[in-house]
Every structure is written in structure tokens, then in C-alpha cells.
Amino acid sequence: PGYPIFIYLFSFISDSMKLIKLTNFIAFATAIYLVFRIIDLYTKQPSYTIKNIFLFLMIFNSHLLIYIDFIFPEVIMFFLITLLVYLNIRLSKQKISTYIILGLLYGVIFQIRPVILFFPFIKFGIELFLQKKNFSVIKNLTLVIVFIATMLPYGYWNYKNNGVFNITSLEGGGGVMHLS
């Protein structure tokens, strides 16, 4: 339900789809900027070579450019996943607020495209395995609990309207699969 809610919120500002297309363009440009920032975080000096390789590879990923002009959630997902990676790297792992923010962001991403459903749980397991001594169970459980909490309202809506508590769409993935 996330993307229809996103469109609905924009309807309070304008009924024109041009606003959503402009937002798609801004989200796309911001995602590219965030990728550049991520590259800077992993390289000691400004690495124009790596950034240019990234831009060159984006030429072959031209369908994202096409989606800027469409009312599809792909560009917003590109932005949100890039933002998630950036914040996961950038935010302090010492603060509980970091895990709350990441849990909320996982939840927003899940509401737009449920492809990320198992990722927070897999991340929890991998980090538990790799960071045995530095792993904070409380902080990482906070992320997972916040993520789960973001899924409950839609599950409740499904229950009230369809008689089935399900956190994902009742149609399954078939509707999305046949879009392309």
C-alpha cells in the first residue's frame, strides 16, 4: 500500500502527475548523489574513476531513466534503497535512534515493494555471526521490532476488509510480475 499512499499524499498538493514525475527526477538525482557519497566513504581520496565507472554502468541500466516519467515505484525504490545503504554506513552504530530510523526505513521500503521482507532478519543473523563480540542484541532487535510494527497496520487492514490477516498483498506477486 505504500506507493498508493505516496501518490495520495501528493494529491493534497496538486492533482497533476507532473509533480510526481518531478519528485521521481529529484529522487533519481538524489540517489545518484548518494551513490557518489557512498563511493567517497569507501575511498580515501576523491575517486572520479570509480564514479565514472558507475555512471558508465548506469547507461546500461537505462530502464530507471524511463521510469522517471512513469507513475511506478521503481525510482522511489532506487532512492530509498540507496538511502538505506548510505544511512547504514553513515549513522552511528552506538545510538539506538540509528536502529529505529533504519527499522522505519525498512518498513517504508517494504510498504512500497515487499521484496525486502526477509532482509532485516537475514541482516540480523549475518551480523550476529560476523560481529559476535560487538553485536548489540537489543539495538538490532529494536530494528527488527520497528520493522515488524510497520507491517502490522496493513495486515490489520487486510483482516478488516478481507477477513485474512496478511502483511502482503492478497494477490501475491502475480500482479507485479505481469507489469513488464
Side-chain angles (χ1 to χ4, degrees), residues 49-120:
T49 304
I50 295 173
K51 291 176 185 175
N52 285 332
I53 290 170
F54 166 74
L55 290 175
F56 179 73
L57 292 173
M58 284 296 293
I59 292 171
F60 300 110
N61 197 9
S62 61
H63 70 278
L64 271 177
L65 290 171
I66 294 167
Y67 281 126
I68 290 173
D69 197 40
F70 292 155
I71 311 301
F72 282 151
E74 275 65 27
V75 174
I76 299 301
M77 283 295 292
F78 174 49
F79 166 71
L80 289 174
I81 290 174
T82 307
L83 179 65
L84 179 70
V85 171
Y86 177 75
L87 291 178
N88 193 39
I89 295 167
R90 191 78 173 130
L91 293 179
S92 168
K93 300 293 187 223
Q94 304 303 319
K95 297 180 181 179
I96 193 80
S97 61
T98 296
Y99 295 88
I100 293 171
I101 290 168
L102 292 176
L104 288 171
L105 192 51
Y106 276 119
V108 169
I109 292 170
F110 171 79
Q111 293 302 326
I112 293 177
R113 285 275 196 232
V115 70
I116 203 163
L117 175 62
F118 298 113
F119 191 79

Side-chain angles (χ1 to χ4, degrees), residues 15 19 24 28 34 52 100-102 105 124 131 143 159 161 163-164:
D15 287 337
L19 181 61
N24 279 348
F28 183 80
L34 287 174
N52 285 332
I100 293 171
I101 290 168
L102 292 176
L105 192 51
F124 183 92
Q131 303 175 2
L143 184 148
Y159 178 73
N161 290 289
V164 177

Side-chain angles (χ1 to χ4, degrees), residues 100-158:
I100 293 171
I101 290 168
L102 292 176
L104 288 171
L105 192 51
Y106 276 119
V108 169
I109 292 170
F110 171 79
Q111 293 302 326
I112 293 177
R113 285 275 196 232
V115 70
I116 203 163
L117 175 62
F118 298 113
F119 191 79
F121 304 104
I122 294 169
K123 180 181 183 296
F124 183 92
I126 289 173
E127 288 189 4
L128 175 64
F129 181 73
L130 293 178
Q131 303 175 2
K132 293 175 185 163
K133 293 181 182 176
N134 296 330
F135 185 76
S136 171
V137 174
I138 299 296
K139 291 176 184 173
N140 283 284
L141 270 179
T142 300
L143 184 148
V144 170
I145 289 169
V146 169
F147 173 63
I148 291 170
T150 63
M151 296 186 280
L152 296 178
Y154 185 62
Y156 179 72
W157 181 88
N158 264 337

